[in-house]
Amino acid sequence: MFEAIQETYEELLEEDRGYRYAIAKLADEFNNLGKVEDVIVDTAIGEIALNHDKVFVGRIEGIIKRLGNPLNAHGELTEDEISNLSNRINKVIDGLRNVEVDYNSSAE
């Protein structure tokens, strides 16, 4: 799923509307897929956002809030997948707490 999100992001960037638009569109396209899937989506979008100079304050707050809840993925993911996802979640949360905040809500 991480690869599909990254590929979609790269395709959206080709539309030449900017990374902020691409991230907003990703969040819309991969919305409400399921509890575990939504955590994966937020994690993937968070990882992408961390590669930019600034991240919109609403995106930061939303991702940190949603990823801050305990993940119960037993039965849906293997222990290794849960461990990997948990590590990625922690890196995203830490990174978003330290990224430069963008207060401009325009996605264009």
Side-chain angles (χ1 to χ4, degrees):
M1 189 167 200
F2 282 100
E3 290 174 15
I5 293 167
Q6 182 64 39
E7 287 175 16
T8 302
Y9 173 71
E10 290 170 13
E11 290 170 8
L12 290 167
L13 283 178
E14 291 175 6
E15 293 180 19
D16 204 27
R17 294 181 72 182
Y19 75 87
R20 294 174 60 183
Y21 167 81
I23 289 174
K25 189 76 173 163
L26 270 181
D28 186 52
E29 286 188 18
F30 289 92
N31 189 28
N32 293 323
L33 300 176
K35 285 186 176 187
V36 174
E37 292 84 356
D38 288 349
V39 169
I40 292 170
V41 169
D42 277 332
T43 304
I45 292 173
E47 289 176 341
I48 290 168
L50 289 174
N51 291 314
H52 300 289
D53 295 334
K54 294 181 180 181
V55 180
F56 175 59
V57 65
R59 180 85 45 223
I60 294 170
E61 291 171 354
I63 290 174
I64 288 175
K65 180 180 177 184
R66 289 185 300 273
L67 293 182
N69 297 323
L71 174 65
N72 183 4
H74 297 283
E76 293 188 53
L77 300 175
T78 67
E79 291 300 318
D80 286 341
E81 290 170 331
I82 292 170
S83 176
N84 178 280
L85 182 56
S86 294
N87 289 334
R88 291 174 92 154
I89 288 169
N90 290 333
K91 287 179 185 176
V92 166
I93 290 172
D94 288 344
L96 289 177
R97 286 187 175 141
N98 295 305
V99 74
E100 187 174 346
V101 178
D102 184 355
Y103 293 97
N104 182 353
S105 63
S106 174
E108 303 261 349

